């Protein structure tokens, strides 16, 4: 491990050095060089963060909501001001291109904007005269201390799916970022510190499994938001629920797109190339399987091959780069192994992105170039496995019915897309597709912050999703008040 000073935790309004025994290197995936050291914080540090959060919550819950959103306006302005810094940090620790890094911050900032509308979003409901002289009201009140555990692939955006809503609704918030990309969160907490939230209300705790388990088992944590792989999502959902907590856990994906013969092939190719290979395929809404229907197969396959081969792979801060590396050496090995397994299962290797060289400076980076597997059997393992890299599986169907059957026969349900010029076909697909986010002539159907970010099947465990009114509902509990004020009583005094 390198000798760099470890990154700090932010607990009880102070930047603190962790007393962890274990530390990890944070690696720039384009160069394989260590750029920071992150602590794997221990249980006593979680306890300290929760204690501070609980104390801050005692007052924060009673601060009027119109006042609670004021620091969020400041935070939004600071995030905007530091977009370029975020762009560089995210690219260096996560690998994506500068434009992709800035893009994810913009999508995150949208959530801060929506959470500024919490005075309206968290309104309850009421009925006067449910019986004579009796009125009934429903209020929303915060839960207490809540936490979010986030993945490596969107270090800027994903924490913002949760934090602004949790705070605006009156909760205290603890963030555990991915240990692979902890530097973005350092900047984010620097800006939160300047935004005017009370001491102790927001904490950053770096770490891995031990840290997460301490959060999941802590009696004073009331709700857990998680985004990551499906096995970990299932684990967190079960352990948090068994401990009596609310949980919303987003998992992995294998997103299909159907290309109809009447689709605009040029537009479809451009959009799907971005969807499959953008962020080196490490997006939970990346298309990773395409089903061509009827005559679409020949023309589209060739266009996709040409477009994928022209992707410029390299370091994300180089202006001409259109695709960066994958996150770790293990990811690269796993992805290359899965390509091999796909071929062993009978797929045709139409474009092989393995073992292509880059300039000396990046020769150790974790690069996998665009890869396309053709004639993938819809029943094969590769058709159902989340690869999470720049690898496309192509399948074929004779009819739209067959295409829907292929795309619906899977355990993940994050996103499904169709490309067509027929409204009737699009409508049929929209209605029957098994997925929480549907794209029609769109390759990345990422809901705007004022819609919930859905997900079905093994892509989501829970009920209320991230973003918008789902976020507000997740972080609040309803209180129903029934009151009797007979009019003759008031006359007696
Ligand atoms: P991951 O599951 O490995 O890690 C996510 C978080 O969980 C990290 O903070 C990590 O420290 C923690 N963690 C990992 N293993 C743990 C364990 N055994 N016990 C407790 N905590 C643990 O995921 P990742 O590799 O960082 O992210 C990629 C995955 O996230 C992909 O599967 C991708 O599809 C998914 N993802 C899903 C969405 C969505 O909206 N559904 C969005 C982004 C990413």
């Amino acid at each position: 491990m390198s000798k760099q000073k470890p990154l700090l935790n932010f607990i009880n309004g102070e930047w603190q050095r962790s007393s962890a025994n274990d530390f990890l290197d944070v690696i720039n995936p384009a160069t394989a060089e260590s750029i920071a050291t992150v602590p794997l914080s221990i249980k006593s540090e979680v306890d300290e963060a929760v204690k501070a959060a609980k104390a801050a919550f005692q007052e924060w819950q009673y601060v009027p909501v119109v006042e609670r959103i004021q620091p969020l306006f400041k935070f939004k302005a600071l995030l905007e001001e530091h977009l370029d810094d975020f762009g560089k940090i995210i690219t260096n620790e996560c690998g994506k291109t500068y434009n992709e890094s800035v893009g994810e911050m913009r999508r995150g900032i949208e959530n801060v904007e929506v959470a500024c509308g919490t005075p309206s979003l968290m309104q309850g409901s009421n009925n006067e005269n449910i019986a004579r002289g009796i009125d009934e009201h429903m209020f929303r009140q915060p839960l207490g201390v809540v936490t979010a555990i986030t993945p490596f692939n969107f270090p800027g955006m994903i924490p913002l799916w949760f934090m602004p809503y949790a705070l605006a609704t009156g909760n205290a918030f603890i963030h555990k970022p991915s240990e692979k990309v902890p530097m973005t969160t350092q900047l984010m907490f620097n800006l939160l510190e300047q935004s005017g939230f009370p001491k102790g209300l927001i904490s950053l705790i770096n770490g891995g499994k031990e840290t997460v388990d301490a959060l999941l088992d802590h009696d004073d944590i009331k709700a857990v938001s998680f985004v990551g792989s499906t096995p970990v999502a299932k684990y967190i959902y079960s352990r948090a629920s068994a401990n009596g907590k609310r949980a919303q856990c987003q998992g992995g994906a294998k997103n299909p797109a159907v290309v109809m013969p009447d689709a605009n092939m040029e537009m479809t190719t451009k959009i799907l190339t971005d969807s499959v290979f953008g962020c080196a395929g490490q997006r939970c809404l990346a298309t990773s399987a395409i089903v061509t229907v009827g005559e679409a197969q020949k023309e589209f396959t060739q266009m996709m091959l040409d477009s994928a081969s022209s992707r410029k792979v390299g370091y994300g801060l180089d202006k001409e780069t259109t695709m960066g590396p994958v996150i770790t050496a293990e990811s690269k090995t796993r992805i290359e192994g899965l390509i091999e397994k796909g071929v062993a299962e009978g797929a045709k290797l139409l474009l092989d992105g393995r073992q292509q060289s880059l300039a000396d400076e990046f020769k150790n980076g974790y690069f996998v170039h665009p890869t396309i597997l053709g004639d993938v059997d819809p029943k094969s393992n590769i058709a159902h496995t989340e690869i999470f890299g720049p690898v496309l599986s192509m399948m074929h169907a004779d009819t739209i019915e067959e295409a829907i059957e292929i795309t619906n026969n899977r355990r993940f349900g994050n996103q499904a897309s169709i490309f067509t010029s027929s409204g009737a076909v699009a409508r049929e697909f929209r209605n029957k597709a098994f997925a929480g986010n549907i794209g029609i002539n769109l390759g990345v159907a990422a809901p705007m912050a004022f819609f919930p970010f859905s997900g079905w099947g093994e892509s989501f465990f829970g009920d209320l999703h991230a973003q918008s009114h789902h976020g507000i509902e997740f972080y609040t509990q309803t209180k129903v008040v029934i009151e009797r004020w007979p009019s003759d009583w008031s006359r007696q005094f």
Side-chain angles (χ1 to χ4, degrees):
M1 203 187 64
S2 67
K3 299 252 179 310
Q4 295 161 103
K5 270 202 214 155
L7 299 176
L8 302 176
N9 290 330
F10 185 74
I11 297 175
N12 202 14
E14 275 159 25
W15 288 97
Q16 299 185 4
R17 194 156 177 170
S18 168
S19 18
N21 298 315
D22 299 316
F23 296 82
L24 293 176
D25 279 328
V26 181
I27 307 286
N28 179 337
T31 59
E33 281 164 8
S34 172
I35 49 176
T37 303
V38 63
L40 301 181
S41 303
I42 52 179
K43 183 178 173 303
S44 60
E45 291 166 326
V46 168
D47 292 344
E48 197 189 337
V50 178
K51 194 172 161 211
K54 196 178 171 191
F57 170 71
Q58 298 312 324
E59 287 192 21
W60 185 246
Q61 62 182 319
Y62 301 117
V63 172
V65 61
V66 284
E67 285 177 35
R68 288 200 303 251
I69 59 170
Q70 295 311 315
L72 287 179
F73 285 102
K74 177 96 188 279
F75 181 46
K76 174 194 144 72
L78 288 167
L79 289 169
E80 297 272 6
E81 212 178 285
H82 289 268
L83 266 183
D84 180 55
D85 300 327
F86 277 112
K88 289 174 183 150
I89 294 174
I90 294 175
T91 294
N92 278 330
E93 68 175 358
C94 187
K96 56 181 71 169
T97 66
Y98 176 81
N99 284 343
E100 288 168 345
S101 301
V102 170
E104 77 156 279
M105 285 312 296
R106 290 208 179 282
R107 297 307 308 265
I109 291 170
E110 250 177 44
N111 280 279
V112 184
E113 291 166 358
V114 172
C116 286
T118 298
S120 308
L121 289 168
M122 105 179 259
Q123 280 172 354
S125 54
N126 50 58
N127 278 82
E128 228 179 6
N129 288 322
I130 53 153
R132 283 183 181 75
I134 301 183
D135 306 327
E136 185 160 345
H137 315 273
M138 189 275 281
F139 299 99
R140 291 197 168 277
Q141 295 192 341
L143 303 176
V145 184
V146 301
T147 188
I149 299 146
T150 54
F152 81 81
N153 65 329
F154 284 98
M157 176 182 76
I158 290 181
L160 297 175
W161 282 356
F162 306 112
M163 179 197 297
Y165 302 101
L167 296 171
T169 48
N171 298 280
F173 183 85
I174 299 178
H175 182 209
K176 205 298 284 173
S178 164
E179 62 277 35
K180 293 176 190 143
V181 291
M183 297 169 75
T184 306
T185 323
Q186 297 274 311
L187 175 56
M188 197 174 279
F189 269 74
N190 254 304
L191 305 184
L192 283 166
E193 196 186 1
Q194 297 167 45
S195 301
F197 290 101
K199 187 171 180 243
L201 190 74
I202 316 167
S203 288
L204 158 63
I205 184 136
N206 289 290
K209 181 170 168 49
E210 186 187 340
T211 326
V212 171
D213 286 348
L215 288 163
L216 297 177
D217 292 344
H218 201 297
D219 282 346
D220 288 329
I221 290 196
K222 301 300 175 195
V224 179
S225 302
F226 171 84
V227 183
S229 58
T230 290
V232 183
K234 270 187 186 166
Y235 165 74
I236 291 194
Y237 188 67
S238 335
R239 192 151 170 171
S241 317
N243 286 334
K245 303 180 196 316
R246 280 189 187 187
Q248 48 176 194
C249 300
Q250 299 182 221
K254 179 87 182 180
N255 303 310
V258 172
V259 177
M260 297 298 291
D262 64 358
N264 174 331
M265 289 299 164
E266 212 171 299
M267 176 190 80
T268 303
T269 307
K270 185 177 177 316
I271 293 174
L272 279 176
T273 307
D274 283 342
S275 175
V276 176
F277 302 113
C279 298
Q282 301 174 116
R283 256 192 308 217
C284 64
L285 295 181
T287 297
S288 47
I290 293 179
V291 183
T292 50
V293 177
E295 287 163 15
Q297 185 179 25
K298 201 164 168 232
E299 186 185 1
F300 178 74
T301 305
Q302 190 52 52
M303 287 174 80
M304 199 65 196
L305 277 168
D306 295 344
S307 174
S309 336
S310 68
R311 224 57 202 175
K312 174 89 177 68
V313 178
Y315 177 41
L317 291 184
D318 287 344
K319 283 207 170 61
E320 54 297 354
T321 296
T322 52
M323 196 179 99
V326 298
I327 188 72
T328 57
E330 296 75 49
S331 281
K332 179 174 155 74
T333 308
R334 186 182 50 81
I335 292 164
E336 291 179 344
L338 284 169
I339 296 170
E340 199 54 51
K341 278 192 184 154
V343 173
E345 282 185 300
K348 268 196 206 140
L349 192 52
L350 302 179
L351 184 64
D352 188 356
R354 297 169 297 174
Q355 284 137 23
Q356 297 195 29
S357 56
L358 280 172
D360 258 11
E361 198 186 340
F362 303 110
K363 68 174 191 308
N364 296 325
Y366 313 134
F367 293 95
V368 181
H369 289 242
T371 298
I372 300 184
L373 295 169
D375 291 345
V376 169
D377 178 349
K379 294 198 185 73
S380 62
N381 283 322
I382 202 73
H384 294 269
T385 304
E386 179 179 44
I387 300 175
F388 220 55
V391 182
L392 171 64
S393 297
M394 296 207 58
M395 292 169 247
H396 185 69
D398 291 328
T399 61
I400 177 65
E401 289 77 16
E402 195 191 332
I404 293 178
E405 204 179 307
I406 293 172
T407 56
N408 280 3
N409 181 19
R410 64 213 160 87
R411 58 196 181 102
F412 296 116
N414 222 30
Q415 175 189 270
S417 301
I418 189 160
F419 291 78
T420 180
S421 54
S422 158
V425 169
R427 190 169 183 274
E428 171 98 353
F429 183 81
R430 182 181 85 186
N431 181 254
K432 294 196 171 148
F434 177 82
N437 304 296
I438 301 290
I440 294 175
N441 296 319
L442 268 172
V444 180
M448 295 293 284
F450 33 88
F451 286 93
F453 191 108
S454 192
W456 288 9
E458 298 228 332
S459 296
F460 181 72
F461 303 91
D463 173 17
L464 294 164
H465 296 269
Q467 299 198 147
S468 87
H469 60 281
H470 272 216
I472 301 280
E473 287 178 37
F474 182 75
Y475 291 123
T476 53
Q477 49 199 341
T478 53
K479 180 179 272 181
V480 174
V481 179
I482 306 177
E483 42 185 19
R484 184 197 302 271
W485 296 108
S487 51
D488 51 338
W489 286 9
S490 59
R491 278 197 289 275
Q492 288 173 20
F493 300 103

